[in-house]
Amino acid sequence: MRAVVMRNNTLVVESIPDPIPGPGEVLVKTLACGICGTDLHALQFAGILGAGSRSSGGVFAIDPNRDIVMGHEFCAEILDYGPGTRKRFKPGTRVCSMPKLKRATGDEAIGYSSENPGGFGEMMRLSESLLLEVPNGLSPEMAALTEPMAVGYHAVAKARLGWRDVPLVIGCGPVGLSVIAALKIKGAGPIVAVDLSVRRRELAIKMGADMVIDPTDKSPYEAFGPGGPARRFLARILNPARHAVIFECVGRPGLIDDIMSNAPRHARIIVLGLCMERDNIYPVSAIYKELDLHFVLGYTGDEFASTLRNISRGKLPVQPLITGKVGVGGVAEAFVELRSPQHHAKILVEPWRS
Amino acid sequence: MRAVVMRNNTLVVESIPDPIPGPGEVLVKTLACGICGTDLHALQFAGILGAGSRSSGGVFAIDPNRDIVMGHEFCAEILDYGPGTRKRFKPGTRVCSMPKLKRATGDEAIGYSSENPGGFGEMMRLSESLLLEVPNGLSPEMAALTEPMAVGYHAVAKARLGWRDVPLVIGCGPVGLSVIAALKIKGAGPIVAVDLSVRRRELAIKMGADMVIDPTDKSPYEAFGPGGPARRFLARILNPARHAVIFECVGRPGLIDDIMSNAPRHARIIVLGLCMERDNIYPVSAIYKELDLHFVLGYTGDEFASTLRNISRGKLPVQPLITGKVGVGGVAEAFVELRSPQHHAKILVEPWRS
């Protein structure tokens, strides 16, 4: 099959052997697969990403010296069944799955493993037990957004928002946008969102943000203070009985400390941004204000399934997030464009395209 | 009165004007006042401590250019009443108080303010509304341990331990020991405690630790792993359904990252150690393991009162913590000794001593 292969920190289109489904596995055709910020990180920091996962018991099996077909945000179509399968769905059925394989020897990553090619190739193998049928009529590209939208859903669930909590979302890339959408579903608000890009601030509004802030224009934290420019709008925030819950959705070194030093007392900081580098913090400000930091990653199976259902029912307005589509030949260029994402949120790869 | 004055990063004994109680305030004689690790920090980092408190809305009013009489862990005896007081207690009554003054203009620190001398002087003024009578028969030195023991009580309360949580206490100075004692009261355990000093590990056992580890001998984190040397003892920890709750009670740069990189998945880290310096972390390990960091400080009024009650009822075995007593003339030397505390836990200042 044709696939985009990561090799020595570059992306090349290659013809590689078709994956063979093992026991309990299905062979699928990739219909659409999103490019994730973590894929960009992996291209740059493959070693760190692999070592970090290994040392913390994660499933990523990234060896920088071996080819990897990335892609873990996919919708696919069933082609064939491996041995020992129950064949619950007919070939041709559209499915989503969490990007991992359930195996007797333990879970394995799809897309971050040299053994299990991801959605930047024409075909994948998936575990039958993890398949979710795409509800009738939902397009593959919208279904492919299940994975990134589940990330925000999980983070908001972990934040355990109470009625006193007021969310502030720092960064409106796909991760921040998925947090905003999940907050909207929860009825949390007012939702304040921050991004440098005017395009992304527009998307934040579409996803449910009540107010967007350009941090070059004014500090988002001022909004929490008594002299804040957003005072009237944020009257609920300014009530001292309410607590800020700040979602860090960028992953740039220095940002956690910036949030800690500017956050109001008793704020909770939910860290989704995947900072791969060494970072500096001044713990003293966090201690004085009794801040909580919750580092979050991924989602549960239930959260993943709920997200697909929410998309199919129109509760998650994901269509505006899709800002580009490419075939395998366009992936390398798409990675470059996503490094300075003034225009893009999510670019989908359609490996079947010529 | 005689008092130990902090001036230009040194401690000197001086004769200074007696404090005058304002409206709603009482004049007290200091009976005993503990030296806290934060006092040691203040002598070294007065500027940072003051600026950090100011920028985060704290009550410390530390101006490195002005004299300060420190001391915030005290038991005192009522001498006289200021105007507008209810005179609930007779002169001679022994009292404790949180180290702050309730004033119409807002709370003010006692001991970390040039305006309000703390317990390293012969007399203080306290707010009548915050006074707690020392229960009959409890010695002033044991009552003076209310404040440091309330710190651990608060941290354990904030940790919201469930039956699945297993505590690990890193550092057995007064802060770590107060955490151990509070964990014991809660019935949490097994309590594993870590310290370099054999003397402190002995104290940890006296305060309720079930097991102590010398980190030069073996990694405390190994105990959480399947090959851990403490396997049988820690069978409950090794159950994957149980979560580690790690109390950082040291405050040394690098320790938060060390804990983050060694902690098991889904661990919660309660940070009480007051690291005044810039610190490095690698967020990626915290993200992979979905760690929570809770920075905590101080206590509530209820927690403070409960702690005094617990001491008076013998539920908190604080007597072994008192490893030294000095008059004002011995404070500077005590600060030096506490910097390499192989022998000491808590040194009490008795300013009335000649």
Side-chain angles (χ1 to χ4, degrees), chain B residues 2 10 71 208 341:
Chain B
R2 280 190 317 158
T10 60

Side-chain angles (χ1 to χ4, degrees), chain A residues 248-290:
Chain A
E248 197 282 79
C249 305
V250 178
R252 177 172 59 70
L255 189 56
I256 291 174
D257 192 61
D258 186 57
I259 294 173
M260 292 201 321
S261 58
N262 286 293
R265 288 171 84 85
H266 299 291
R268 283 188 288 137
I269 303 165
I270 317 293
V271 182
L272 296 88
L274 192 58
C275 174
M276 306 299 297
E277 299 164 67
R278 195 165 83 151
D279 206 357
N280 280 313
I281 60 168
Y282 287 87
V284 68
S285 62
I287 289 172
Y288 270 123
K289 294 188 283 195
E290 294 208 285

Side-chain angles (χ1 to χ4, degrees), chain A residues 331-344:
Chain A
V331 172
E333 196 186 318
F335 268 60
V336 174
E337 280 193 47
L338 286 168
R339 289 225 174 272
S340 49
Q342 287 302 306
H343 303 294
H344 282 293

Side-chain angles (χ1 to χ4, degrees), chain A residues 104-182:
Chain A
T105 48
D107 290 357
E108 294 182 19
I110 294 174
Y112 289 127
S113 156
S114 300
E115 306 300 332
N116 309 310
F120 299 164
E122 286 176 296
M123 286 179 271
M124 298 178 286
R125 60 180 159 232
L126 304 178
S127 282
E128 186 183 31
S129 63
L130 295 180
L131 296 184
L132 297 170
E133 185 174 7
V134 174
N136 216 4
L138 185 66
S139 69
E141 55 258 50
M142 283 175 72
L145 284 159
T146 300
E147 203 278 349
M149 298 309 282
V151 168
Y153 193 82
H154 173 68
V156 170
K158 292 273 279 186
R160 294 190 194 167
L161 294 165
W163 66 272
R164 291 172 174 228
D165 295 322
V166 177
L168 174 66
V169 181
I170 310 284
C172 299
V175 172
L177 294 169
S178 81
V179 167
I180 292 167

Side-chain angles (χ1 to χ4, degrees), chain B residues 197-268:
Chain B
S197 149
V198 62
R199 176 90 183 84
R200 287 186 160 188
R201 293 198 299 275
E202 286 166 10
L203 286 171
I205 295 282
K206 285 186 184 164
M207 300 305 285
D210 297 294
M211 182 187 187
V212 290
I213 293 175
D214 175 356
T216 60
D217 177 30
K218 59 193 171 206
S219 161
Y221 307 102
E222 278 178 36
F224 290 96
R231 192 185 173 105
R232 201 156 25 152
F233 182 86
L234 294 174
R236 288 168 66 198
I237 294 181
L238 296 170
N239 180 333
R242 294 180 75 86
H243 290 156
V245 179
I246 303 170
F247 294 84
E248 196 282 79
C249 305
V250 178
R252 176 171 61 68
L255 189 56
I256 292 175
D257 192 60
D258 186 56
I259 294 173
M260 292 201 319
S261 59
N262 286 294
R265 289 171 83 86
H266 300 292
R268 284 188 288 137

Side-chain angles (χ1 to χ4, degrees), chain A residues 48-50 52-53 55-58 60 154 158 256 260-261 265-266 271-298, chain B residues 48-50 52-53 55-58 60 154 158 256 260-261 265-266 271-298:
Chain A
I48 298 175
L49 202 66
S53 182
S55 71
S56 57
F60 292 4
H154 173 68
K158 292 273 279 186
I256 291 174
M260 292 201 321
S261 58
R265 288 171 84 85
H266 299 291
V271 182
L272 296 88
L274 192 58
C275 174
M276 306 299 297
E277 299 164 67
R278 195 165 83 151
D279 206 357
N280 280 313
I281 60 168
Y282 287 87
V284 68
S285 62
I287 289 172
Y288 270 123
K289 294 188 283 195
E290 294 208 285
L291 303 180
D292 287 344
L293 261 76
H294 305 274
F295 293 90
V296 300
L297 181 76
Chain B
I48 298 174
L49 203 65
S53 182
S55 71
S56 57
F60 292 4
H154 173 69
K158 292 273 279 188
I256 292 175
M260 292 201 319
S261 59
R265 289 171 83 86
H266 300 292
V271 182
L272 296 89
L274 192 59
C275 174
M276 306 299 296
E277 300 163 67
R278 196 166 80 153
D279 206 357
N280 279 314
I281 60 169
Y282 288 86
V284 68
S285 63
I287 290 172
Y288 270 122
K289 295 189 282 195
E290 293 208 286
L291 303 181
D292 288 344
L293 261 75
H294 304 274
F295 293 91
V296 300
L297 180 76

Side-chain angles (χ1 to χ4, degrees), chain A residues 319-332:
Chain A
Q319 191 67 59
L321 297 185
I322 304 167
T323 53
K325 294 186 191 182
V326 294
V328 285
V331 172

